[in-house]
Amino acid sequence: MILKQYYLGCLAHASYLIADESTGTAAVVDPQRDIEQYVLEAKRLGVEIKHVLLTHFHADFVAGDRELQQTCGATIYVGAAAAPEYDCEKLEDGDVLEFGNVRIQALATPGHTPESMCYLVFDLAQDGANPQAVLTGDTLFIGDVGRPDLLGSVGIKPEDLASSLYDSLHDKLLRLPDATLVYPAHGAGSMCGKNLSTETVSTIGQQKLVNYALQPMPRADFIAMITQGQPQAPAYFLHDALMNRRPRTTLDEVIEGSLVPMTLEQALAAQEQGAQLVDVRDDNEVVGGTLQGAFHISLSGSFATWAGSLLALDQPVIVIAAPGREREAVTRMARIGLDRVVGFVDGFELELQRHPGLRQQTPQIDLDTLRDKLASDAPPLVLDVRTPTEWQNGHIDGALHVPLIELQDRVDEVPRDRELAVLCRTSNRSASAISILRRAGHDNVV
């Protein structure tokens, strides 16, 4: 048996390929939408991807199940409690998928969502009685458990899901052998929990010792603890959860319709009709400025998460990128269901040189300069756009705290009568914040 983890850092997403060389068969669990790595790995191993298993309908990315179905002819499997609107097979609790030395057993574990499943993985050549690993999806993370509050907008109470999660953990997962490897669908940086570890694999025994949510406690205490203090869910989460259960276009179709070169004049005309221009270049690439009215969301870091959080999901998007990086931007947005990219500005820097009045520049200062400014007779107002946890761990006295994910809704709270010094941790979020502030009419910003 071969069990391989693929970790996509920008979305903190883990997917898995399970293969049996004797039968030339493979299964993929929770694939990302761009599936080339699984197809190439299967070709290298001389196996065929015949099965795709989803632990649930994910909210933070669009799964590549339909892409693998179209490319490889694979069968898609979901939990019996799921309500898909496309062709797939349902697995009941205890159902088994077996090929060669591989056995995959379905384990119904509602809690994060009603249809959540975990998958026990047995290497029959080593031990047919005890699972080697359990793929836990968003039910159990390293250091945390799945949040139960993402479906409140569709009428499912977080408290009810939290109660189901308590049973799934204590009646099923915690009864597995301590040596069972735990492979979750997400790690640190995901908004699917509040205390995810940077580790990407653990064991049941280790999690019993260190995971705060697995410590002995009454059900009521668990429900209260797990329904409080969760990070704010980005707007695209519900969009993706619904998109994953419905028929949709494949990634190749999205890219084909998105990589359309446009002149700056065409992009501006589209903007007048409601299109969103987004500059995805890094800070060092926008030293000379960007386009007035454009969002700035750098490709470095958690680009897709912020694009899905700040851009309207129902309006067209036009990309401004460094030459050759347009496809990367389109792909990464499509990973979270931002499929309405209609083109990119071709030769943007040259185009902008012909329209210098449209160039928008923002000074950058270092912390020593900020310290001097704060000690002056006319100090700027520091606008801190980091998360509540980062703020609580330390901040500048007198700063205004508005997390980036909330800024568009709260921009009227930001004073206009003094200079703003916008900060985050690495400058990516502050650059995005400044693009939002400038769109709202703030121009005295650093």
Side-chain angles (χ1 to χ4, degrees):
M1 186 185 78
I2 295 167
L3 172 56
K4 181 173 180 177
Q5 182 187 70
Y6 301 81
Y7 197 77
L8 181 62
C10 64
L11 286 177
H13 165 218
S15 53
Y16 300 89
L17 183 140
I18 307 164
D20 174 71
E21 292 182 295
S22 66
T23 58
T25 302
V28 178
V29 179
D30 288 339
Q32 64 189 62
R33 198 174 184 184
D34 41 326
I35 60 169
E36 291 85 356
Q37 60 188 339
Y38 315 116
V39 175
L40 290 174
E41 183 74 6
K43 183 177 180 180
R44 185 185 70 81
L45 294 172
V47 299
E48 182 181 353
I49 298 173
K50 296 182 179 180
H51 313 286
V52 184
L53 296 95
L54 300 179
T55 55
H56 64 293
F57 292 129
H58 290 269
D60 57 317
F61 70 95
V62 175
D65 52 337
R66 256 62 66 82
E67 283 75 8
L68 285 169
Q69 185 181 57
Q70 183 181 82
T71 301
C72 306
T75 300
I76 301 170
Y77 300 87
V78 298
E85 299 175 20
Y86 62 94
D87 184 28
C88 60
E89 300 291 328
K90 289 189 175 184
L91 293 173
E92 299 281 353
D93 185 47
D95 281 354
V96 168
L97 190 65
E98 194 167 307
F99 45 94
N101 289 317
V102 174
R103 177 189 297 149
I104 301 173
Q105 182 177 340
L107 203 63
T109 52
H112 173 64
T113 67
E115 79 278 1
S116 288
M117 303 288 285
C118 295
Y119 295 108
L120 300 176
V121 182
F122 295 80
D123 184 349
L124 300 180
Q126 303 293 325
D127 187 345
N130 298 299
Q132 183 188 60
V134 57
L135 308 187
T136 55
D138 288 17
T139 299
L140 173 62
F141 299 123
I142 310 304
D144 205 349
V145 294
R147 60 190 296 179
D149 62 322
L150 295 180
L151 297 179
S153 60
V154 293
I156 301 178
K157 294 181 179 180
E159 293 78 11
D160 292 342
L161 283 176
S163 182
S164 296
L165 181 60
Y166 184 87
D167 291 334
S168 295
L169 295 169
H170 291 272
D171 295 346
K172 292 186 176 178
L173 291 180
L174 292 181
R175 295 187 179 185
L176 296 174
D178 284 353
T180 308
L181 296 171
V182 175
Y183 285 109
H186 294 293
S190 168
M191 295 185 184
C192 291
K194 55 185 176 180
N195 192 50
L196 279 68
S197 170
T198 56
E199 300 295 322
T200 60
V201 61
S202 184
T203 64
I204 290 292
Q206 180 68 9
Q207 287 306 294
K208 287 179 181 177
L209 292 174
V210 304
N211 192 320
Y212 77 98
L214 301 185
Q215 303 313 302
M217 69 184 78
R219 180 188 301 270
D221 291 353
F222 175 86
I223 293 172
M225 177 185 66
I226 215 65
T227 54
Q228 297 173 5
Q230 295 289 356
Q232 180 176 339
Y236 73 90
F237 269 29
L238 179 60
H239 170 82
D240 283 17
L242 295 174
M243 191 170 174
N244 275 320
R245 73 181 67 219
R246 293 171 175 167
R248 58 168 175 80
T249 54
T250 62
L251 179 62
D252 286 344
E253 294 167 328
V254 171
I255 291 176
E256 182 179 356
S258 299
L259 291 179
V260 178
M262 305 175 72
T263 66
L264 183 56
E265 287 83 357
Q266 289 173 321
L268 292 172
Q271 186 183 42
E272 287 290 324
Q273 299 300 314
Q276 306 164 99
L277 273 65
V278 55
D279 190 334
V280 304
R281 296 173 300 162
D282 297 337
D283 286 350
N284 62 333
E285 296 171 323
V286 296
V287 173
T290 186
L291 185 69
Q292 290 181 10
F295 287 93
H296 182 197
I297 309 172
S298 172
L299 275 173
S300 63
S302 302
F303 166 73
T305 297
W306 287 115
S309 301
L310 303 181
L311 299 176
L313 301 172
D314 58 352
Q315 296 176 19
V317 175
I318 297 171
V319 171
I320 298 170
R325 301 195 74 182
E326 302 88 359
R327 185 184 184 93
E328 177 187 356
V330 170
T331 299
R332 290 175 67 178
M333 281 190 278
R335 285 174 180 163
I336 54 97
L338 262 173
D339 286 5
R340 297 200 63 188
V341 181
V342 295
F344 65 93
V345 181
D346 194 19
F348 173 71
E349 278 295 341
L350 290 176
E351 289 272 292
L352 196 57
Q353 288 175 18
R354 297 193 297 108
H355 301 275
L358 297 177
R359 187 185 298 273
Q360 184 171 273
Q361 292 179 280
T362 300
Q364 289 188 336
I365 61 173
D366 58 24
L367 290 174
D368 288 333
T369 303
L370 177 59
R371 186 181 292 109
D372 292 341
K373 279 177 167 285
L374 291 175
S376 70
D377 293 334
L381 173 64
V382 175
L383 175 61
D384 189 329
V385 299
R386 297 176 302 154
T387 65
T389 299
E390 290 173 300
W391 169 265
Q392 292 162 8
N393 288 339
H395 56 266
I396 295 173
D397 287 342
L400 173 64
H401 180 225
V402 183
L404 176 59
I405 197 170
E406 302 175 13
L407 183 58
Q408 291 194 94
D409 293 333
R410 297 176 56 190
V411 71
D412 289 342
E413 299 176 25
V414 182
R416 297 174 180 269
D417 58 353
R418 57 195 289 197
E419 181 183 36
L420 291 175
V422 188
L423 70 82
C424 60
R425 183 174 62 86
T426 65
S427 81
N428 281 343
R429 284 173 291 177
S430 58
S432 295
I434 282 173
S435 70
I436 292 170
L437 291 165
R438 286 193 175 279
R439 284 167 55 87
H442 290 266
D443 53 15
N444 191 11
V445 291
V446 296

